[in-house]
Every structure is written in structure tokens, then in C-alpha cells.
Amino acid sequence: MIYLETSVDQQLRRTGRGRERPLLTQVDDRRALLEALMADRESKYCEIADLVVNTDGRKVQAVTRQILEELPWR
């Protein structure tokens, strides 16, 4: 299990005002919702993850390269 960790600021930039995330389109304060979800979920994600990779400000290729380098069965 790999947890792709991302800050709330990065999540806000990535989701913008897109319609792909229905939960975010139903609230006035998207930041508050994302912060509440993060507060509830992050410890659970970290607990079950075999690897945690921060993705803030990084390109897909760099994240992929890190994952491949850190895979325990590699």
C-alpha cells in the first residue's frame, strides 16, 4: 500500500473548481472540508501504508521514480 501524501493547499490547487469531485462542489468552504477529511484520515493512511510519498509540487515522473526506488521487493 502506497500513500501519496498531499497537503490541503496542493489538493485545492489540483481540484480547482472542477466538477469531478462531487463532495467538493456541495460545500462553500472546500478548504475546511479537506482539512476535516485529512484530520480524520491521515493517521489511518499512514498506519496501513508500506510507503508514504509526498507529492507536493512534484511531477508524476519524479514520484514514480521514488516509488520504484523504494519498493521493498525490488
Side-chain angles (χ1 to χ4, degrees):
M1 176 74 68
I2 301 171
Y3 170 33
L4 300 175
E5 179 182 46
T6 301
S7 68
V8 170
D9 285 336
Q10 184 72 57
Q11 290 176 51
L12 286 168
R13 283 191 292 277
R14 288 180 183 171
T15 58
R17 289 287 174 194
R19 297 306 222 185
E20 301 82 32
R21 305 284 180 145
L23 186 61
L24 292 178
T25 63
Q26 299 172 15
V27 296
D28 292 328
D29 191 345
R30 295 169 49 239
R31 175 178 292 282
L33 174 63
L34 290 171
E35 287 173 347
L37 291 171
M38 181 69 74
D40 179 55
R41 297 175 179 179
E42 185 170 31
S43 65
K44 294 171 186 135
Y45 292 163
C46 288
E47 184 179 318
I48 64 170
D50 298 306
L51 176 62
V52 177
V53 177
N54 187 287
T55 64
D56 280 3
R58 299 178 68 198
K59 295 186 181 281
V60 171
Q61 295 85 350
V63 172
T64 303
R65 195 169 28 257
Q66 180 182 349
I67 291 169
L68 291 174
E69 289 171 359
E70 294 189 36
L71 288 176
W73 55 83
R74 196 166 183 273

